[in-house]
Short mmCIF file of all heavy atoms in Angstrom, two decimals:
data_model
loop_
_atom_site.label_atom_id
_atom_site.label_comp_id
_atom_site.label_asym_id
_atom_site.label_seq_id
_atom_site.Cartn_x
_atom_site.Cartn_y
_atom_site.Cartn_z
N GLY A 103 38.93 -19.67 -5.28
CA GLY A 103 38.33 -18.35 -5.10
C GLY A 103 39.19 -17.45 -4.22
O GLY A 103 40.22 -17.87 -3.66
N ALA A 104 38.73 -16.19 -4.11
CA ALA A 104 39.39 -15.29 -3.16
C ALA A 104 39.18 -15.83 -1.75
O ALA A 104 40.00 -15.60 -0.86
CB ALA A 104 38.80 -13.88 -3.28
N SER A 105 38.08 -16.57 -1.56
CA SER A 105 37.81 -17.14 -0.22
C SER A 105 38.97 -18.03 0.21
O SER A 105 39.45 -17.94 1.34
CB SER A 105 36.51 -17.96 -0.24
OG SER A 105 35.46 -17.18 -0.76
N LEU A 108 41.96 -15.86 0.96
CA LEU A 108 41.86 -15.16 2.25
C LEU A 108 42.19 -16.10 3.40
O LEU A 108 42.88 -15.71 4.35
CB LEU A 108 40.44 -14.60 2.43
CG LEU A 108 40.14 -13.32 1.63
CD1 LEU A 108 38.64 -13.07 1.54
CD2 LEU A 108 40.84 -12.11 2.27
N TYR A 129 33.61 -6.56 4.18
CA TYR A 129 33.15 -7.88 3.72
C TYR A 129 33.00 -8.81 4.94
O TYR A 129 33.98 -9.06 5.65
CB TYR A 129 34.18 -8.43 2.73
CG TYR A 129 33.89 -9.81 2.21
CD1 TYR A 129 32.69 -10.11 1.57
CD2 TYR A 129 34.83 -10.83 2.35
CE1 TYR A 129 32.44 -11.38 1.09
CE2 TYR A 129 34.59 -12.10 1.86
CZ TYR A 129 33.39 -12.37 1.24
OH TYR A 129 33.15 -13.63 0.77
N ASN A 179 34.00 -3.78 -0.76
CA ASN A 179 32.62 -4.25 -0.59
C ASN A 179 32.28 -3.89 0.86
O ASN A 179 33.02 -4.31 1.76
CB ASN A 179 32.59 -5.77 -0.79
CG ASN A 179 31.22 -6.37 -0.57
OD1 ASN A 179 30.26 -5.66 -0.34
ND2 ASN A 179 31.14 -7.69 -0.64
N ASP A 207 42.81 -7.06 -0.49
CA ASP A 207 41.90 -7.88 -1.29
C ASP A 207 41.53 -7.08 -2.54
O ASP A 207 40.81 -6.08 -2.46
CB ASP A 207 40.67 -8.22 -0.44
CG ASP A 207 39.67 -9.08 -1.18
OD1 ASP A 207 39.80 -9.25 -2.41
OD2 ASP A 207 38.73 -9.58 -0.53
N ILE A 209 39.83 -8.23 -5.22
CA ILE A 209 38.88 -9.05 -5.98
C ILE A 209 38.06 -8.24 -6.98
O ILE A 209 37.67 -8.77 -8.02
CB ILE A 209 37.96 -9.85 -5.03
CG1 ILE A 209 37.01 -10.75 -5.82
CG2 ILE A 209 37.17 -8.96 -4.09
CD1 ILE A 209 36.21 -11.73 -4.98
N TYR A 210 37.82 -6.94 -6.69
CA TYR A 210 37.00 -6.15 -7.63
C TYR A 210 37.84 -5.37 -8.63
O TYR A 210 37.31 -4.51 -9.35
CB TYR A 210 36.05 -5.22 -6.86
CG TYR A 210 34.99 -6.01 -6.12
CD1 TYR A 210 35.11 -6.26 -4.75
CD2 TYR A 210 33.91 -6.57 -6.80
CE1 TYR A 210 34.17 -7.02 -4.08
CE2 TYR A 210 32.97 -7.34 -6.14
CZ TYR A 210 33.11 -7.57 -4.78
OH TYR A 210 32.18 -8.34 -4.14
N SER A 234 40.87 -12.73 -7.60
CA SER A 234 39.93 -13.79 -7.94
C SER A 234 39.51 -13.70 -9.40
O SER A 234 39.55 -12.62 -10.00
CB SER A 234 38.69 -13.65 -7.05
OG SER A 234 37.74 -14.63 -7.38
N SER A 236 36.45 -14.45 -9.92
CA SER A 236 34.99 -14.41 -9.73
C SER A 236 34.31 -13.21 -10.38
O SER A 236 33.31 -13.38 -11.08
CB SER A 236 34.65 -14.40 -8.24
OG SER A 236 34.86 -15.67 -7.67
N LYS A 237 34.80 -12.01 -10.14
CA LYS A 237 33.99 -10.83 -10.43
C LYS A 237 34.27 -10.25 -11.81
O LYS A 237 33.42 -10.32 -12.69
CB LYS A 237 34.19 -9.78 -9.33
CG LYS A 237 34.07 -10.32 -7.90
CD LYS A 237 32.66 -10.67 -7.47
CE LYS A 237 32.68 -11.34 -6.10
NZ LYS A 237 31.46 -11.28 -5.37
N ARG A 245 34.91 -21.16 -8.88
CA ARG A 245 35.68 -21.16 -7.64
C ARG A 245 37.18 -21.11 -7.90
O ARG A 245 37.91 -22.07 -7.64
CB ARG A 245 35.32 -22.38 -6.75
CG ARG A 245 33.84 -22.60 -6.52
CD ARG A 245 33.11 -21.36 -6.01
NE ARG A 245 33.69 -20.82 -4.81
CZ ARG A 245 34.04 -19.51 -4.69
NH1 ARG A 245 33.85 -18.65 -5.67
NH2 ARG A 245 34.57 -19.10 -3.57
C1 PLP B 1 35.59 -8.37 -0.80
C2 PLP B 1 35.38 -9.81 -1.16
N1 PLP B 1 36.40 -10.68 -0.98
C3 PLP B 1 36.26 -12.00 -1.26
C4 PLP B 1 35.07 -12.51 -1.75
C5 PLP B 1 34.97 -13.98 -2.06
O1 PLP B 1 35.01 -14.18 -3.45
P1 PLP B 1 35.29 -15.55 -4.20
O2 PLP B 1 34.03 -15.85 -4.98
O3 PLP B 1 36.42 -15.28 -5.16
O4 PLP B 1 35.62 -16.57 -3.21
C6 PLP B 1 33.98 -11.64 -1.97
C7 PLP B 1 32.70 -12.14 -2.49
O5 PLP B 1 31.73 -11.45 -2.66
C8 PLP B 1 34.15 -10.26 -1.67
O6 PLP B 1 33.16 -9.37 -1.84
#
Side-chain angles (χ1 to χ4, degrees):
S105 307
L108 282 164
Y129 177 57
N179 178 5
D207 180 348
I209 182 171
Y210 292 101
S234 178
S236 286
K237 311 288 174 158
R245 310 308 304 128

